[in-house]
Amino acid sequence: MAKGISVFLGLDWSLEDNLEYLTQAAQAGFSRVFTSLHIPEANYSQLITEFKQVLDLATRLDMAVIADISPNAYQYLQVEAHDLAAFKKMGLAGIRLDYGFTPELIAGYTNNSVDLLIELNASTMSAEFMQQIMHSGANAANISACHNYYPRQNTGISLESLQQKNQIFHQYNIPVSGFVALATGRRGPLYEGLPTLEFTRNLVPQVAAQILLVAGIEHVFIGDARAELSVLQRVGKLSPDLIELDVADYLSTSVYQELLQQIHTNRPDAAVDVIRSQESRLMLLTNNVIRREVLAENCISRDRGSITIDNIAYGRYSGELQICKRGLAADERVNVIGRISDDSLHLLDYIGDNQGFKLVI
């Protein structure tokens, strides 16, 4: 899994802003950069002037830059048509072919001799078009795919569509990328966010990124142009093996805090109503013999997303941490000790058998 940022030249951010952003992202664990060479609103004289400096810094930071191009990009960059070596010489790791390229031409591009990655538009791809590319002699090992981002509200794709498109590429072992939006630092001219999935447009990026990962996306990019440092650091630490759930509020006793700050694993026989921590009861053992008591408190009704711990009235289950996947009635044997954030509710259904999860407080 790789994480990437987006850098847009000729728009709202100065060259100095973009260079600083690259450095911050590299330090936070990001290794890829997406940029577009065919944004209608961009100032292309400014874009071309700044392009080389961005590529030079990305190279020094060991960040791979993928540029979104259309056939017009050759003219903008003063590159002869189909001269892929010129793109590589600039410092690009790859080019994303947005539109206007035939299957035969794409197949030829993938067999280039300069190790330039060819990235396809995952959102608009059909199984038939992909078959034509492969039947034309394409080198699948030199192909990646990347979904669109959608600047206008209500135009992003559905989760079902994303998963269907992913399957087109995964049958050829081709990795797929997708975008998440930001709440601040959004790119113009609309400033409505740049997500792939419409329903994630206003979710916090750490949740939206995890939704992409569990939906079969290999590489996650921040679509908008300038994430805050705290966001970079949070997204940069995400792992596909561990689902992180933000805690909105919790009871702050020492026992509860100890349990909340651990990494947990859902049971191998995942329950239908709740997520059950395999480790939580053992965490409350002292010398593997004496269980620290969990006394009854806050035994209220449990909403979806409630974090609970069974108290001593539940006998050998005392100390078990659970997260409710649906609303449940109050039980005098179950303490409600907190709840996860509204955004993190979207992740609950992806915590299946033996899935690791962490509560972030």
Side-chain angles (χ1 to χ4, degrees), residues 199-221:
F199 85 93
T200 69
R201 186 177 296 273
N202 295 308
L203 297 182
V204 292
Q206 64 266 24
V207 169
Q210 292 182 90
I211 291 171
L212 288 180
L213 292 174
V214 297
I217 291 292
E218 280 78 23
H219 309 307
V220 174
F221 282 76

Side-chain angles (χ1 to χ4, degrees), residues 208-276:
Q210 292 182 90
I211 291 171
L212 288 180
L213 292 174
V214 297
I217 291 292
E218 280 78 23
H219 309 307
V220 174
F221 282 76
I222 294 175
D224 285 293
R226 191 67 192 258
E228 296 177 355
L229 181 58
S230 60
V231 171
L232 288 176
Q233 292 171 337
R234 181 72 190 278
V235 174
K237 293 177 181 177
L238 291 177
S239 165
D241 299 323
L242 184 70
I243 291 180
E244 295 189 5
L245 304 169
D246 292 335
V247 177
D249 58 62
Y250 63 97
L251 300 178
S252 57
T253 69
S254 59
V255 170
Y256 298 159
Q257 284 189 344
E258 178 182 348
L259 289 177
L260 291 174
Q261 292 174 355
Q262 304 297 322
I263 292 176
H264 299 268
T265 310
N266 195 23
R267 285 177 56 98
D269 51 345
V272 65
D273 291 335
V274 295
I275 295 159
R276 301 177 65 191

Side-chain angles (χ1 to χ4, degrees), residues 59-109:
T59 299
R60 294 198 299 272
L61 294 171
D62 199 25
M63 301 178 80
V65 181
I66 307 293
D68 200 30
I69 72 167
S70 66
N72 293 333
Y74 294 109
Q75 178 183 349
Y76 297 144
L77 297 174
Q78 299 179 340
V79 171
E80 290 188 18
H82 317 307
D83 184 2
L84 302 187
F87 289 121
K88 190 70 175 183
K89 188 175 181 180
M90 289 176 187
L92 286 172
I95 53 175
R96 180 178 185 265
L97 309 181
D98 194 24
Y99 62 87
F101 300 89
T102 66
E104 296 76 17
L105 183 59
I106 293 171
Y109 277 8

Side-chain angles (χ1 to χ4, degrees), residues 26-333:
Q27 292 172 345
F30 288 73
S31 60
R32 298 194 176 195
V33 180
F34 174 85
T35 191
S36 178
L37 299 181
H38 63 98
I39 300 174
E41 296 83 6
N43 179 331
Y44 275 88
S45 61
Q46 178 186 346
L47 184 153
I48 299 305
T49 299
E50 297 176 354
F51 192 50
K52 185 177 186 305
Q53 294 183 65
V54 167
L55 288 176
D56 287 346
L57 178 58
T59 299
R60 294 198 299 272
L61 294 171
D62 199 25
M63 301 178 80
V65 181
I66 307 293
D68 200 30
I69 72 167
S70 66
N72 293 333
Y74 294 109
Q75 178 183 349
Y76 297 144
L77 297 174
Q78 299 179 340
V79 171
E80 290 188 18
H82 317 307
D83 184 2
L84 302 187
F87 289 121
K88 190 70 175 183
K89 188 175 181 180
M90 289 176 187
L92 286 172
I95 53 175
R96 180 178 185 265
L97 309 181
D98 194 24
Y99 62 87
F101 300 89
T102 66
E104 296 76 17
L105 183 59
I106 293 171
Y109 277 8
T110 68
N111 288 291
N112 69 80
S113 60
V114 293
D115 196 30
L116 185 74
L117 182 69
I118 304 302
E119 192 158 79
L120 306 181
N121 187 327
S123 298
T124 61
M125 184 59 64
S126 69
E128 294 74 20
F129 196 84
M130 190 64 201
Q131 288 172 1
Q132 293 175 37
I133 293 172
M134 299 308 297
H135 289 162
S136 298
N139 175 14
N142 199 36
I143 300 175
S144 64
C146 182
H147 283 279
N148 284 333
Y149 52 63
Y150 294 90
R152 188 193 185 283
Q153 288 189 55
N154 309 118
T155 61
I157 64 175
S158 68
L159 181 62
E160 293 74 20
S161 177
L162 178 131
Q163 291 174 316
Q164 290 171 4
K165 300 291 186 178
N166 290 351
Q167 291 175 3
I168 294 173
F169 296 98
H170 287 162
Q171 65 179 311
Y172 300 106
N173 294 317
I174 293 171
V176 186
S177 304
F179 293 92
V180 300
L182 296 174
T184 61
R186 289 182 163 182
R187 197 202 76 187
L190 297 180
Y191 304 100
E192 294 178 351
L194 299 178
T196 292
L197 293 172
E198 182 59 38
F199 85 93
T200 69
R201 186 177 296 273
N202 295 308
L203 297 182
V204 292
Q206 64 266 24
V207 169
Q210 292 182 90
I211 291 171
L212 288 180
L213 292 174
V214 297
I217 291 292
E218 280 78 23
H219 309 307
V220 174
F221 282 76
I222 294 175
D224 285 293
R226 191 67 192 258
E228 296 177 355
L229 181 58
S230 60
V231 171
L232 288 176
Q233 292 171 337
R234 181 72 190 278
V235 174
K237 293 177 181 177
L238 291 177
S239 165
D241 299 323
L242 184 70
I243 291 180
E244 295 189 5
L245 304 169
D246 292 335
V247 177
D249 58 62
Y250 63 97
L251 300 178
S252 57
T253 69
S254 59
V255 170
Y256 298 159
Q257 284 189 344
E258 178 182 348
L259 289 177
L260 291 174
Q261 292 174 355
Q262 304 297 322
I263 292 176
H264 299 268
T265 310
N266 195 23
R267 285 177 56 98
D269 51 345
V272 65
D273 291 335
V274 295
I275 295 159
R276 301 177 65 191
S277 166
Q278 294 187 51
E279 299 87 357
S280 54
R281 279 187 270 168
L282 295 177
M283 289 175 183
L284 294 186
L285 292 180
T286 302
N287 299 324
N288 295 318
V289 177
I290 302 170
R291 182 180 305 282
R292 279 169 280 169
E293 290 186 337
V294 178
L295 301 179
E297 64 172 327
N298 208 38
C299 303
I300 60 176
S301 61
R302 295 161 282 172
D303 298 326
R304 175 173 164 84
S306 291
I307 306 166
T308 70
I309 293 180
D310 291 348
N311 62 51
I312 57 174
Y314 234 133
R316 63 187 177 88
Y317 290 97
S318 181
E320 178 166 298
L321 180 142
Q322 298 182 355
I323 303 172
C324 296
K325 294 195 287 186
R326 71 176 184 89
L328 298 171
D331 188 325
E332 63 182 9
R333 301 166 298 176

